[in-house]
Amino acid sequence: MEKVEQRLLRYVKINTKSDDASESIPSTKIQFDLANLLVDELKSLGITDAHVDENCYVMGTLKGNVDNAPKIGLIAHLDTSPDMPGENVKPQIVENYDGEDIVLNKDKNIVMKVSDFSYLKDFKGKTLITTDGTTLLGADDKAGIAEIMSVIEYFINHPEEKHGDIKIAFTPDEEIGRGADKFDVEKFGADFAYTLDGSFLGEIEYENFNAASATVVVKGVNIHPGSAKHKMKNSVLIAMELQSLLPTFERPEFTEGYEGFTMLDEIHGDIEKTTLGYIIRDHDMAKFTQKKEFLQTACEFINKKYGEDTAVVEIKDSYYNMKEKILPVMHVVDSVVAAMEKIGVKPNIKAIRGGTDGARLSFMGLPTPNIFTGGFNYHGRYEAIVVEDMYKAVETVIEVIKSYAK
């Protein structure tokens, strides 16, 4: 059986960065490079129906060997974040980690410091896979893919282990919020599923943010500064004023846990026109609605002060908190807790301060909580993963699947 870390090392060297500026599906054709490889690997394992469709969704089924067991889905995403380079990834292996600072790149003086990431000390004595400091690693979510592949190979190599149908899916464009856009739940055919897209050992997540994006266009009037008195309306300054109306301590840098936020994500413009991009997040639907209304009210104030349609806002909901869809079928979480306890892992049920394919899939009729992979510091040069924890993720999923076959 191939080692799970060997799979990961192979996958991360394939660039699959998605592109939120692209309108195509998938957003980047390079995602097919990994998708096609995975289809070949699944077929070599004996998954005869493995295939990738025109939208870069990989699906396949390991047929069960018992009757009346639920069909369980395992899902991970192919793409990596556009926030950081994803090509020429050069993973580094740190064996028997000493618990001290890790030099990622001596030439560029890039160091992952314990003073910045105190949890590094928890990994002393374990094996880490890190970046070389110039790219992300891609463990988000190629670790999940590697772990799912290892689960499938385990059951194929152990036909004595009882299991129902295991449905496999690898999705594109999760990092830009489109991972479920073309996901065919009916075709997938699972009764419920799990994304392997979490972080630290033991994490189970079935709550996530309600999420929206907002675009505000501020219109100004450009007049030669020599004759601008009482005529010029500087859209940049008006945009700054609009931003100042929003609560300072509801920015992400001041929030944690279940605290939501409104974040100015981008701004660009000139005197004539300035565009602001926001993301709005909250676990609580009422507070989520209030945050959206507050931004609208701020724009209304600007319009009363500077004239109608000075600030035009468009708000689009992205996804919702899957909790309401998981609570009626809490056995999907309870089974993971029991599996972790059986293999000596302490369960840590926590809320996602973000989103996941599972959130949208849950609202599409496929309850899909999230399980840890063992990775951390996603989307940046300090991304890394604990190899031993990858094996625990594999063990957890195996135990969950076996538990439903009894």
Side-chain angles (χ1 to χ4, degrees):
M1 182 169 174
E2 185 175 16
K3 293 180 178 180
V4 66
E5 68 270 28
Q6 291 174 337
R7 297 184 189 277
L8 175 64
L9 291 171
R10 182 166 64 253
Y11 301 155
V12 299
K13 293 178 181 178
I14 302 171
N15 181 17
T16 58
K17 185 167 72 169
S18 50
D19 179 6
D20 53 7
S22 169
E23 297 298 326
S24 65
I25 303 173
S27 65
T28 55
K29 296 299 183 183
I30 55 175
Q31 294 179 63
F32 277 106
D33 295 342
L34 180 56
N36 289 325
L37 172 69
L38 292 170
V39 169
D40 290 342
E41 290 188 4
L42 286 167
K43 287 183 176 178
S44 71
L45 290 173
I47 308 300
T48 56
D49 68 339
H51 66 282
V52 56
D53 69 12
E54 68 277 10
N55 297 313
C56 203
Y57 288 78
V58 176
M59 289 190 181
T61 304
L62 176 59
K63 297 299 293 183
N65 54 19
V66 294
D67 295 326
N68 301 319
K71 299 177 177 65
I72 300 176
L74 301 177
I75 302 170
H77 63 87
L78 299 159
D79 65 317
T80 59
S81 171
D83 296 341
M84 190 76 182
E87 64 275 6
N88 299 317
V89 173
K90 299 179 179 66
Q92 302 183 123
I93 300 174
V94 181
E95 296 181 336
N96 194 24
Y97 170 54
D98 61 9
E100 303 299 325
D101 293 352
I102 301 174
V103 178
L104 301 177
N105 194 307
K106 185 176 181 180
D107 293 339
K108 297 180 182 296
N109 193 31
I110 300 173
V111 181
M112 182 156 52
K113 297 179 180 180
V114 175
S115 59
D116 294 329
F117 308 106
S118 59
Y119 42 77
L120 285 172
K121 292 183 177 180
D122 297 336
F123 309 137
K124 185 175 181 179
K126 294 187 175 183
T127 298
L128 306 184
I129 300 175
T130 73
T131 73
D132 72 346
T134 64
T135 69
L136 47 65
L137 178 61
D140 179 14
D141 187 27
K142 292 168 184 174
I145 294 174
E147 289 158 3
I148 290 171
M149 296 294 284
S150 292
V151 168
I152 298 304
E153 187 174 16
Y154 172 85
F155 280 109
I156 289 172
N157 290 344
H158 294 83
E160 76 281 2
E161 297 283 14
K162 303 302 181 184
H163 64 89
D165 285 0
I166 303 173
K167 299 290 185 173
I168 308 149
F170 303 129
T171 66
D173 289 339
E174 189 270 354
E175 295 290 5
I176 57 173
R178 305 178 198 168
D181 280 7
K182 297 292 184 177
F183 194 105
D184 191 331
V185 171
E186 184 176 356
K187 173 185 171 183
F188 188 50
D191 296 307
F192 54 89
Y194 299 96
T195 49
L196 274 78
D197 194 18
S199 184
F200 294 111
L201 177 69
E203 288 182 353
I204 313 165
E205 298 160 321
Y206 68 91
E207 298 179 70
N208 61 278
F209 277 140
N210 297 292
S213 61
T215 301
V216 181
V217 177
V218 180
K219 301 172 185 176
V221 177
N222 193 1
I223 299 291
H224 188 284
S227 56
K229 189 173 183 178
H230 302 314
K231 302 182 186 72
M232 177 184 284
K233 291 202 307 185
N234 190 325
S235 77
V236 177
L237 294 177
I238 296 172
M240 292 168 61
E241 182 179 351
L242 170 64
Q243 170 60 23
S244 73
L245 297 174
L246 304 181
T248 298
F249 292 102
E250 289 188 8
R251 299 175 188 168
E253 59 265 38
F254 300 113
T255 63
E256 61 183 354
Y258 284 91
E259 297 168 336
F261 58 78
T262 299
M263 183 179 86
L264 178 59
D265 191 44
E266 61 178 343
I267 180 170
H268 49 87
D270 51 30
I271 292 174
E272 192 78 20
K273 176 182 175 182
T274 297
T275 302
L276 304 97
Y278 289 93
I279 63 172
I280 302 169
R281 304 287 189 266
D282 208 294
H283 291 96
D284 183 276
M285 180 57 77
K287 293 179 180 178
F288 175 61
T289 301
Q290 288 171 358
K291 286 177 171 60
K292 292 188 289 182
E293 291 175 347
F294 196 101
L295 179 59
Q296 291 173 320
T297 301
C299 290
E300 290 170 5
F301 172 83
I302 292 293
N303 290 334
K304 287 180 181 178
K305 184 174 181 179
Y306 293 101
E308 186 177 356
D309 291 336
T310 298
V312 178
V313 59
E314 181 181 14
I315 300 176
K316 294 181 178 179
D317 288 354
S318 304
Y319 51 82
Y320 301 110
N321 190 344
M322 73 173 105
K323 180 180 179 180
E324 70 173 86
K325 300 298 182 181
I326 301 297
L327 287 178
V329 289
M330 271 299 286
H331 67 86
V332 301
V333 175
D334 295 338
S335 62
V336 179
V337 170
M340 289 184 185
E341 290 174 341
K342 184 175 181 179
I343 65 172
V345 172
K346 182 179 180 181
N348 177 21
I349 297 177
K350 60 188 291 291
I352 306 172
R353 285 185 60 78
T356 172
D357 279 346
R360 290 184 59 196
L361 293 173
S362 293
F363 279 88
M364 292 164 64
L366 182 66
T368 309
N370 193 33
I371 298 175
F372 75 94
T373 63
F376 56 95
N377 294 350
Y378 293 152
H379 295 192
R381 68 180 77 250
Y382 301 111
E383 185 181 3
I385 194 162
V386 182
V387 171
E388 289 84 352
D389 296 351
M390 293 183 70
Y391 281 94
K392 287 298 184 182
V394 173
E395 288 183 60
T396 296
V397 175
I398 289 171
E399 289 299 329
V400 169
I401 292 171
K402 288 164 57 177
S403 72
Y404 280 101
K406 293 180 179 178

